[in-house]
Amino acid sequence: MIRSARTLDDDLFLRAEVCVIGSGAGGAVAAAELAAGGRDVVVLEAGSHWTKQDFTQREDEMLPRLFEEAGMRQTVDGTITVLQGRCVGGSTVHNLCYCFRTPDPILGLWQEEHGLPELTPAALEPSFQRVEAGLKVKPIREDEVNALNRLIRRGTRKLGWSGLLANHNREGCVQAGYCILGCSYDAKQSMLVTYVPRADAAGARIFADAQVEGIEAQGGRVRRVHARAALADGRPGPRLVVEAPVVVLSAGAVATPDLLLRSRLANRSGRVGRGLHLHPSVMVAGLFDEPIHAYRGIPQSWYVDEFIDLERDPHSGYVLMPITGFPALTGTQLPGFGRAHFRWMRAFAHTAGLLVLLHDRSEGSVEPGASLARPRLRYALRPDDERLLAEGLVHCCELLFAAGAREVLVPYVDEPLVVRPGDDLSLVARRGAAAGTIPIASTHPQSTCRMGGDPRRSVVNAWGECHEVAGLFVADMSVFPTSLGAPPQITTAALADRTAHHVLERWPELARTRA
Amino acid sequence: MSAGELRATRRGFLRLLGASGTLAALARLPAPAARAAAAPAAGGTPFFAPREREILTLVVERMVDTGLPEAPAVRATATIDTIDRLCRSLDPSLTAPLPALLRLVEWGPLLFEGRFARFSALDEAGRDAHLAGWMRSRLALRRAGFLALRNLALLGYWSQDETWPLIGYHGPLLGRRGPAA
């Protein structure tokens, strides 16, 4: 049973073998595998438990329910919007279902440059197989490619660029298109309908609305987790204390380092909260004569990988991805206000969005803010990353014109740029993609508690266990040693699966080990 | 309360100046404790006081102006109620700066432009020009304030069913027999 901590009448003290913090792509997998392996598991999730009955397909209702800061979380300078889930199931409830394994060259990079020889494709194969089966990952069918993605594919092929139909985690999809607002049909195989119920069925005690405030360690090993019921009005409710010899921290690449820093744990390296990668993305809007209604159907299925070659350069590159939204979210990505803004809103049904998603070298940081709800994210694009984003914008324009767009809006904040077929696109490259000049968004914050072999340069070891605190594991996107360069759902889940099986194999000795 | 009823008072202006630095608050300094402590439960007391609500309405009207006669007027929709409900549902530390931000907009012509006028007393063109000043300000914090208000306005207005025909959005499928469009 999933219980809301808001229903607690009084403070609650629990003993468990494992306490999992978070229920997204990392936490849900860890909780389910550990519970299925016979461990007594408590899960603490800061967000609420919403189900398909709650997913109304309305932005005003779903954004505050499913997203941190109602989808308006930003870096401290206000230049980058960071979308993260806040609910049982985490970001998997609102993601768009792309499923990619960790690229082999990225694993190679992690092995060679980060002291992680264990992370070979072969070693990860069992975890990949388990999570792909668990999430029912399969290729998109041709009849599932919607009008937006068909357009983008048409443009890609016309230009002779490389692209592919991706794998997805869907079962019985009705192609409504509201994936980003939660699936009203339970067709998206998010953690909410896969691993969370499995953890529940295996006996895990799952608390929603349980905001973890700190982790306590003693004598070099983890001891307790301190949480409070997160009341609807933001006031702290009853306390919830979980004493466990193993804690799996899976709160995401923002909240995980925030909690470690607040708890003053595992940071002798100084790396907790450092090295933030965002996979920053910028988008353009192509206007077509015919209505596209891009919001209908599976939002993202086609994937343009022409501009990323990880074998040649595992450190950088970018992909192009179709993007759609509903009126309010779309509006926030368009420039200006009033009538100038409405000019673009009016073309909503005729608009195809295309974004550049950067495999970033730039690094930022996460620090605790005034409250747990407001961590401080800092991130500045390096000049080479800025150049790549700008190059990506040019390629987006080319692709949309090849697909038949009559004009393309590059939504610069000060003076939006409209280009038409035949225009000199070097103007786009010259205006660039500097932060603050164009809306930048991120849905993949990562790398803030890096995995590595050297405790002086990393926070956790190859199994996700903190170098300095025995029994404290991290299982979310924080552990990526570098930018992943691909959608992260499967990598996150597979690494969490691997961590969970490591804990099971080392039990009960692990529960007694000191750092 | 109408725009004309928004009276400039010396006490109100002084309170604004002493309002613990709205822009700094926007920059993620700790939320004013009194407001956070007094935050009502969702579904309870409105987030915005009547005076703040009126300023917000005037701002939203300019943010989502379409120029189309058939466009639903902000005041004829539940736009402001939607924004109010959203603000009540968020952590108080996120929303606490908003009332002070609205007062700053109201007094903005005086504070930032040296004009003896309040935002609510300007005509539509004047309000647009003033908001454009926020949008293009060299102060990052002022631009952040603009974006916060713009995004709330967009979320509030474009979440109203009656606005969707303007842009060809067919709305949610739930409750329908089959996919549209």
Side-chain angles (χ1 to χ4, degrees):
Chain A
M1 192 178 103
I2 301 171
R3 180 180 180 187
S4 169
R6 290 175 183 165
T7 63
L8 294 176
D9 296 325
D10 207 346
D11 293 351
L12 184 64
F13 182 89
L14 296 170
R15 280 202 173 83
E17 291 178 326
V18 183
C19 178
V20 178
I21 302 169
S23 63
V29 170
E33 294 295 329
L34 288 163
R39 303 278 61 84
D40 175 20
V41 176
V42 168
V43 179
L44 302 175
E45 165 58 53
S48 296
H49 181 214
W50 306 105
T51 64
K52 67 176 182 179
Q53 286 82 8
D54 304 303
F55 299 152
T56 60
Q57 304 183 343
R58 298 187 61 94
E59 290 173 286
D60 56 330
E61 292 171 353
M62 298 320 303
L63 293 176
R65 286 181 183 172
L66 300 185
F67 290 85
E68 292 284 3
E69 303 183 35
M72 291 184 257
R73 168 168 282 177
Q74 291 187 324
T75 50
V76 290
D77 63 0
T79 60
I80 304 178
T81 302
V82 180
L83 290 168
Q84 283 192 288
R86 183 186 174 84
C87 56
V88 171
S91 296
T92 68
V93 174
H94 74 246
N95 75 14
L96 299 180
C97 297
Y98 272 141
C99 291
F100 287 82
R101 289 188 177 192
T102 319
D104 285 356
I106 293 294
L107 285 178
L109 181 68
W110 294 356
Q111 291 162 39
E112 289 161 23
E113 294 189 10
H114 295 271
L116 298 166
E118 306 92 335
L119 289 188
T120 62
L124 280 169
E125 181 66 24
S127 293
F128 283 137
Q129 287 186 9
R130 274 193 292 270
V131 299
E132 286 169 348
L135 298 175
K136 300 181 181 167
V137 174
K138 57 178 80 68
I140 284 280
R141 297 192 314 264
E142 183 58 35
D143 65 313
E144 293 178 321
V145 183
N146 78 347
L148 169 67
N149 284 267
R150 285 197 300 271
L151 272 181
I152 303 302
R153 182 172 62 182
R154 186 167 80 200
T156 310
R157 287 179 172 164
K158 200 164 168 186
L159 292 166
W161 291 351
S162 170
L164 55 97
L165 278 180
N167 287 345
H168 271 216
N169 53 322
R170 301 171 188 273
E171 182 82 350
C173 180
V174 302
Q175 302 180 43
Y178 288 90
C179 317
I180 199 168
L181 302 180
C183 181
S184 312
Y185 313 94
D186 277 354
K188 181 197 289 186
Q189 298 298 292
S190 70
M191 296 298 156
L192 179 65
V193 301
T194 55
Y195 279 90
V196 170
R198 265 173 238 161
D200 187 24
R205 291 169 282 174
I206 303 170
F207 290 87
D209 306 308
Q211 176 66 64
V212 173
E213 296 180 329
I215 301 166
E216 185 187 335
Q218 222 169 47
R221 69 161 309 113
V222 73
R223 286 291 301 274
R224 293 185 194 89
V225 176
H226 297 266
R228 275 182 181 268
L231 302 183
D233 61 5
R235 287 183 298 114
R239 291 174 190 281
L240 189 56
V241 179
V242 182
E243 188 166 290
V246 170
V247 171
V248 180
L249 181 48
S250 305
V254 174
T256 285
D258 192 353
L259 278 171
L260 287 178
L261 289 168
R262 285 173 186 278
S263 306
R264 299 179 188 281
L265 287 178
N267 195 25
R268 217 172 290 153
S269 65
R271 296 299 306 174
V272 173
R274 303 288 167 189
L276 171 71
H277 290 296
L278 287 176
H279 278 179
S281 60
V282 291
M283 62 157 280
V284 302
L287 269 58
F288 289 75
D289 288 328
E290 68 275 21
I292 302 165
H293 296 286
Y295 53 89
R296 289 283 186 252
I298 292 175
Q300 287 179 334
S301 52
W302 186 250
Y303 184 87
V304 182
D305 61 356
E306 172 74 15
F307 307 102
I308 193 162
D309 182 352
L310 297 172
E311 294 282 356
R312 186 179 56 78
D313 179 4
H315 294 284
S316 71
Y318 56 88
V319 296
L320 310 183
M321 295 153 65
I323 186 66
T324 182
F326 301 98
L329 271 178
T330 300
T332 62
Q333 295 302 304
L334 297 174
F337 69 96
R339 294 182 190 188
H341 181 269
F342 183 67
R343 186 203 157 186
W344 304 108
M345 284 301 287
R346 193 170 200 178
F348 177 76
H350 293 254
T351 299
L354 186 60
L355 64 80
V356 187
L357 185 140
L358 184 70
H359 176 35
D360 49 337
R361 291 173 185 262
S362 310
E363 294 185 2
S365 65
V366 176
E367 299 162 19
S371 74
L372 279 159
R374 301 179 75 188
R376 297 168 68 86
L377 281 69
R378 298 180 194 279
Y379 184 91
L381 280 168
R382 290 166 37 141
D384 50 354
D385 275 351
E386 247 180 59
R387 276 194 297 276
L388 280 179
L389 275 179
E391 180 189 303
L393 285 173
V394 173
H395 286 135
C396 282
C397 296
E398 290 172 348
L399 195 157
L400 285 166
F401 289 138
R406 64 177 151 83
E407 58 183 19
V408 174
L409 167 70
V410 189
Y412 290 111
V413 176
D414 280 351
E415 200 62 50
L417 179 64
V418 180
V419 288
R420 295 181 178 80
D423 282 356
D424 178 7
L425 295 178
S426 66
L427 183 56
V428 179
R430 282 202 299 277
R431 288 194 57 176
T437 65
I438 192 167
I440 301 178
S442 165
T443 52
H444 303 159
Q446 57 194 285
S447 305
T448 48
C449 297
R450 292 181 175 187
M451 185 179 276
D454 183 351
R456 294 168 302 177
R457 295 173 52 218
S458 59
V459 179
V460 301
N461 66 20
W463 301 102
E465 188 172 19
C466 290
H467 291 299
E468 300 165 33
V469 186
L472 177 57
F473 290 80
V474 177
D476 59 30
M477 288 162 65
S478 327
V479 303
F480 296 175
T482 65
S483 166
L484 184 64
Q489 175 171 236
I490 296 300
T491 299
T492 308
L495 288 176
D497 172 275
R498 183 171 176 272
T499 290
H501 283 269
H502 170 75
V503 171
L504 291 172
E505 284 164 20
R506 283 183 59 199
W507 201 272
E509 160 263 331
L510 178 67
R512 296 191 293 266
T513 312
R514 285 183 178 271
Chain B
M1 184 186 286
S2 71
E5 290 173 300
L6 285 170
R7 299 277 181 254
T9 64
R10 178 180 160 75
R11 193 176 63 176
F13 184 63
L14 290 175
R15 195 167 54 203
L16 168 75
L17 290 179
S20 69
T22 305
L23 290 178
L26 279 170
R28 296 168 170 260
L29 286 179
R35 185 96 193 175
T45 315
F47 179 84
F48 294 105
R51 184 186 175 88
E52 297 157 2
R53 187 179 169 94
E54 179 57 27
I55 302 167
L56 175 65
T57 304
L58 295 172
V59 170
V60 172
E61 284 175 340
R62 302 320 307 149
M63 292 286 193
V64 301
D65 176 34
T66 65
L68 299 178
E70 67 269 31
V74 170
R75 290 172 197 269
T77 67
T79 298
I80 304 300
D81 289 339
T82 300
I83 296 172
D84 196 281
R85 192 175 68 240
L86 173 74
C87 291
R88 276 181 283 147
S89 74
L90 292 175
D91 189 285
S93 68
L94 303 172
T95 51
L98 286 172
L101 172 62
L102 288 169
R103 287 193 162 78
L104 208 50
V105 171
E106 170 69 345
W107 291 100
L110 179 60
L111 286 171
F112 300 114
E113 298 164 13
R115 300 165 62 192
F116 287 98
R118 286 166 294 117
F119 179 78
S120 56
L122 301 175
D123 60 14
E124 289 183 351
R127 289 178 197 151
D128 284 351
H130 184 64
L131 289 173
W134 280 74
M135 181 174 73
R136 299 198 174 98
S137 171
R138 287 190 299 176
L139 283 174
L141 296 177
R142 202 170 157 215
R143 292 199 306 274
F146 169 85
L147 271 182
L149 291 174
R150 190 190 83 132
N151 289 349
L152 284 174
L154 294 171
L155 182 64
Y157 189 69
W158 293 111
S159 293
Q160 307 306 312
D161 301 24
E162 56 268 49
T163 66
W164 296 339
L166 295 173
I167 57 172
Y169 173 56
H170 293 143
L173 291 174
L174 280 177
R176 294 191 191 175
R177 290 191 175 178

